[in-house]
C-alpha cells in the first residue's frame, strides 16, 4: 500500500476566493466557484502535485473521496493505515478448498485443521476495539511467536500441512485459509455445512500477535468459570460454548503436547495418521453427536473426558444444551454451524467489508434464496449489484449504515445558497 505524507493542501490559484476546512491530519481549501483545482502534497522529503482543468463540483470531490488520498483528506487514519490489507480472490479460494479436501483424504488431518482455525480466531477480545490488537481471525498464528504459545502446541504441524496450499494460492490470505481449512474439515468429516464468508485481512508482522493466555485451558481449577471467562470475552454465550465443545467429537489429546490423555488407546494405537493419543470418541474422524453421548454415559475408560468436558453436564445452564445435543444430532448440527461461523469471524477485518461468499450460504443471505424462484433470483442479483454499486459510490456498504458526509453537505448548502442568491438578484 502506498504511503502519503500527512501534510496535504487542496488549493485554487492565488487569485481565487476560497473556503477552508481544517482537521488534525490535513488542511483542505475549496473554491466557492468553478475553477481549476490543484491537489498538492508536500513533506520534508517528497512532494506530489495533481492538477485538473475541469470545473469544481460536489460530484468531482465525491470521486476524490474514494481515491487513495481520501483518508488523509477527509479523516485522520493514524495507526489503522499501518497494516497492509489484502482481500482473497474468490476463484483461488474455491480452488484452495478443493486442495484442502484432497489433503484431508490423504492425511486424515481433520482435527488439527479445525484446531488451527479455532486457535487463530479464539484470541479475540470483544473489549478491545482496535484491529489487530483485539485478536481474532487475522492470520497471526502463522508467526513463530504465537505458534510457541503453550495452547498451540503441535499446530506447527498444521501450518506445515497447509503452507503448500498457501504458496500455490498467493491470492488467499492466511486468515482466510485457516478458516477455510477448519470449516472444510468439519464438512468433510460428515458435519454440517458452515455458512462461511471470506475476505479476512492478514496481520503483517509478529509484533501484531496477541499476548499469550487468551485461549482456553484443558484443566483449570474452576472449569465452568474458566469456560465462561474465556468465551464470554469473545462475545459467545452458553449455548455456543456447549455447541463448539462438540467439535471434540474429532481428534485426540496427546499427553506430550497438552499433558492430558493416555499415550494410546485401542482407538488410536493404529492411527490413522501418527498413532497414539486418547480420543473423546471411538470414531474420532467422524463428526456427529457422539461426544455428548459418551460424556454423559462415561462407560469407556479409553475415551477422554477433560474437566472442561465434564463441566458441560455439571453446570445447570450448560447441561440444558448438552442433554439436548446428546439426544438430537440435528439440533446440534444447526447450533454448531452457527457458532462455528460466528467464531470464524471474530475480530476479523474484511475486505470487502461485506465479505466474500463462495456458495451463497453465508448467514442471512441464504434465507432469501428459499423464497425466490430461479428467474426472480437472477433478476434480484442484477439489481443488488446495481444498488450496491450506487450505494458504495456515496460512501455506504451493505453491512453498515451510510454515514453523514459533512463535506458534501457543506458543498450542497453552498450551492443552494448561491442558487437562491441568483434568483433574488434577478428580482432586484
Amino acid at each position: 500500500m502506498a504511503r502519503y505524507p500527512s501534510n496535504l493542501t487542496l488549493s485554487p490559484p492565488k487569485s481565487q476566493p476560497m473556503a477552508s476546512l481544517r482537521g488534525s491530519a490535513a488542511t483542505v481549501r475549496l473554491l466557492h466557484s468553478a475553477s481549476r483545482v490543484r491537489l498538492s502534497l508536500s513533506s520534508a522529503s517528497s512532494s506530489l502535485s495533481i492538477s485538473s482543468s475541469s470545473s469544481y463540483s460536489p460530484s468531482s470531490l465525491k470521486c476524490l473521496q474514494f481515491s487513495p488520498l481520501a483518508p488523509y483528506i477527509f479523516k485522520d487514519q493514524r495507526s489503522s493505515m499501518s497494516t497492509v490489507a489484502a482481500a482473497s480472490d474468490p476463484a483461488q479460494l474455491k480452488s484452495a478448498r478443493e486442495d484442502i479436501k484432497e489433503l484431508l483424504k490423504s492425511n486424515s488431518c481433520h482435527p488439527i485443521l479445525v484446531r488451527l482455525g479455532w486457535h487463530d480466531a479464539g484470541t479475540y477480545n470483544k473489549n478491545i476495539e482496535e484491529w489487530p490488537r483485539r485478536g481474532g481471525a487475522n492470520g497471526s498464528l502463522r508467526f513463530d511467536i504465537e505458534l510457541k504459545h503453550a495452547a498451540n502446541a503441535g499446530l506447527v504441524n498444521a501450518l506445515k500441512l497447509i503452507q503448500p496450499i498457501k504458496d500455490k494460492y498467493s491470492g488467499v490470505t492466511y486468515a482466510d485459509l485457516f478458516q477455510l481449512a477448519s470449516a472444510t474439515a468439519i464438512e468433510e468429516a460428515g458435519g454440517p455445512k458452515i455458512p462461511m464468508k471470506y475476505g479476512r485481512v492478514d496481520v503483517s508482522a509478529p509484533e501484531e500477535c496477541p499476548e499469550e493466555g487468551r485461549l482456553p485451558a484443558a484443566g483449570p481449577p474452576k472449569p465452568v468459570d474458566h469456560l465462561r471467562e474465556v468465551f464470554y470475552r469473545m462475545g459467545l454465550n452458553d449455548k455456543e460454548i456447549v455447541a463448539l465443545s462438540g467439535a471434540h467429537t474429532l481428534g485426540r489429546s496427546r499427553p506430550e503436547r497438552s499433558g492430558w490423555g493416555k499415550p494410546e488407546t485401542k482407538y488410536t494405537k493404529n492411527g490413522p495418521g501418527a498413532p497414539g493419543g486418547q480420543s473423546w470418541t471411538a470414531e474420532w474422524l467422524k463428526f456427529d453427536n457422539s461426544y455428548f453421548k459418551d460424556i454423559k454415559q462415561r462407560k469407556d475408560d479409553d475415551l477422554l473426558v477433560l474437566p472442561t468436558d465434564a463441566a458441560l453436564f455439571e453446570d445447570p445452564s450448560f447441561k440444558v444444551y448438552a442433554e439436548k445435543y446428546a439426544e438430537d444430532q440435528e439440533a446440534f448440527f444447526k447450533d454448531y454451524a452457527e457458532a462455528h461461523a460466528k467464531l470464524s469471524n471474530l475480530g476479523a477485518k474484511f475486505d470487502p467489508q461485506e465479505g466474500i461468499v463462495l456458495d451463497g450460504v453465508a448467514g442471512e443471505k441464504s434465507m432469501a434464496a428459499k423464497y425466490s424462484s430461479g428467474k426472480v433470483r437472477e433478476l434480484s442479483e442484477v439489481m443488488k449489484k446495481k444498488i450496491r454499486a450506487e450505494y458504495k459510490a456515496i460512501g455506504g456498504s451493505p453491512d453498515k449504515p451510510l454515514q453523514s458526509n459533512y463535506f458534501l453537505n457543506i458543498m450542497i448548502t453552498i450551492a443552494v445558497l448561491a442558487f437562491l442568491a441568483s434568483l433574488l438578484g434577478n428580482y432586484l
Side-chain angles (χ1 to χ4, degrees):
M1 178 180 293
R3 291 182 178 275
Y4 300 94
S6 60
N7 182 16
L8 296 98
T9 304
L10 179 63
S11 60
K14 293 182 179 179
S15 61
Q16 297 291 337
M18 67 183 76
S20 295
L21 297 175
R22 294 183 178 273
S24 59
T27 301
V28 183
R29 294 187 178 89
L30 307 172
L31 301 182
H32 284 189
S33 59
S35 68
R36 290 166 57 88
V37 176
R38 185 177 73 253
L39 174 64
S40 62
L41 294 82
S42 63
S43 69
S45 59
S46 62
S47 64
L48 172 65
S49 180
I50 303 174
S51 298
S52 173
S53 59
S54 60
S55 296
Y56 156 76
S57 69
S59 61
S60 65
L61 286 169
K62 181 175 68 175
C63 295
L64 178 62
Q65 179 185 356
F66 296 98
S67 77
L69 307 177
Y72 290 90
I73 296 174
F74 296 104
K75 63 184 290 190
D76 180 10
Q77 290 292 303
R78 293 189 293 274
S79 61
S80 66
M81 296 300 294
S82 64
T83 304
V84 176
S88 293
D89 178 76
Q92 290 196 28
L93 280 165
K94 290 182 178 181
S95 296
R97 180 170 59 185
E98 296 307 308
D99 285 13
I100 290 169
K101 291 179 181 179
E102 293 303 315
L103 177 67
L104 292 166
K105 291 177 183 177
S106 61
N107 287 269
S108 301
C109 54
H110 305 66
I112 200 169
L113 293 189
V114 172
R115 185 168 166 241
L116 180 69
W118 276 38
H119 282 217
D120 193 48
T123 59
Y124 175 63
N125 187 338
K126 69 176 184 181
N127 301 311
I128 301 175
E129 183 175 352
E130 180 187 352
W131 184 94
R133 196 169 66 86
R134 65 194 182 207
N138 57 32
S140 63
L141 190 49
R142 72 187 189 273
F143 292 113
D144 286 344
I145 188 172
E146 188 171 344
L147 278 172
K148 291 179 180 178
H149 291 178
N152 293 327
L155 283 180
V156 65
N157 297 318
L159 187 61
K160 289 178 180 178
L161 286 169
I162 212 77
Q163 187 62 49
I165 298 177
K166 179 65 177 78
D167 295 339
K168 183 177 179 181
Y169 302 106
S170 59
V172 176
T173 63
Y174 277 99
D176 271 349
L177 187 61
F178 292 167
Q179 300 308 322
L180 177 66
S182 182
T184 304
I186 293 290
E187 294 167 5
E188 291 297 294
K193 180 72 175 178
I194 312 296
M196 299 289 290
K197 68 176 182 177
Y198 299 95
R200 295 168 187 80
V201 175
D202 276 344
V203 297
S204 58
E207 293 76 21
E208 295 173 314
C209 291
E211 72 279 3
E212 187 168 6
R214 294 193 185 185
L215 295 170
K222 298 180 178 180
V224 172
D225 292 344
H226 176 73
L227 285 173
R228 287 202 170 101
E229 178 183 356
V230 171
F231 285 94
Y232 282 12
R233 186 209 67 223
M234 300 182 207
L236 301 173
N237 57 35
D238 285 358
K239 180 176 76 171
E240 291 161 339
I241 292 172
V242 179
L244 289 171
S245 296
H248 278 157
T249 192
L250 298 178
R252 302 164 285 178
S253 177
R254 295 182 179 274
E256 67 272 19
R257 295 177 184 172
S258 66
W260 292 89
K262 298 178 180 180
E264 69 175 30
T265 69
K266 61 179 177 283
Y267 302 116
T268 65
K269 64 181 181 179
N270 296 319
Q278 186 175 13
S279 59
W280 285 265
T281 63
E283 295 183 88
W284 49 270
L285 286 177
K286 178 182 178 182
F287 194 95
D288 57 19
N289 66 339
S290 296
Y291 167 81
F292 297 105
K293 293 179 178 180
D294 292 336
I295 292 175
K296 182 179 180 180
Q297 296 171 358
R298 297 201 196 185
K299 294 181 178 180
D300 193 334
D301 291 338
D302 269 349
L303 297 180
L304 180 63
V305 179
L306 297 172
T308 46
D309 299 320
L312 302 182
F313 282 90
E314 295 168 357
D315 177 79
S317 178
F318 289 161
K319 187 176 181 179
V320 171
Y321 302 107
E323 293 276 6
K324 177 182 179 181
Y325 299 152
E327 298 298 324
D328 188 344
Q329 180 170 285
E330 184 177 349
F332 166 53
F333 274 27
K334 176 181 178 297
D335 291 349
Y336 178 85
E338 293 173 358
H340 185 122
K342 182 176 179 179
L343 174 66
S344 76
N345 294 337
L346 294 180
K349 180 167 71 172
F350 286 91
D351 180 12
Q353 290 183 346
E354 66 270 22
I356 300 167
V357 179
L358 299 184
D359 303 311
V361 291
E364 295 180 359
K365 293 184 179 180
S366 63
M367 298 300 294
K370 295 181 180 180
Y371 302 98
S372 302
S373 67
K375 186 174 295 185
V376 173
R377 184 160 59 247
E378 181 180 349
L379 177 62
S380 175
E381 288 297 324
V382 171
M383 292 304 298
K384 282 193 290 185
K385 287 181 180 179
K386 289 183 178 179
I387 293 169
R388 186 178 293 115
E390 293 175 1
Y391 192 48
K392 285 184 176 179
I394 57 172
S397 78
D399 291 339
K400 69 176 183 179
L402 182 64
Q403 297 180 349
S404 297
N405 192 322
Y406 299 108
F407 182 85
L408 289 179
N409 289 344
I410 290 171
M411 302 319 301
I412 291 170
T413 301
I414 292 172
V416 170
L417 290 174
F419 177 74
L420 292 175
S422 66
L423 288 178
L424 289 173
N426 291 334
Y427 287 103
L428 295 177

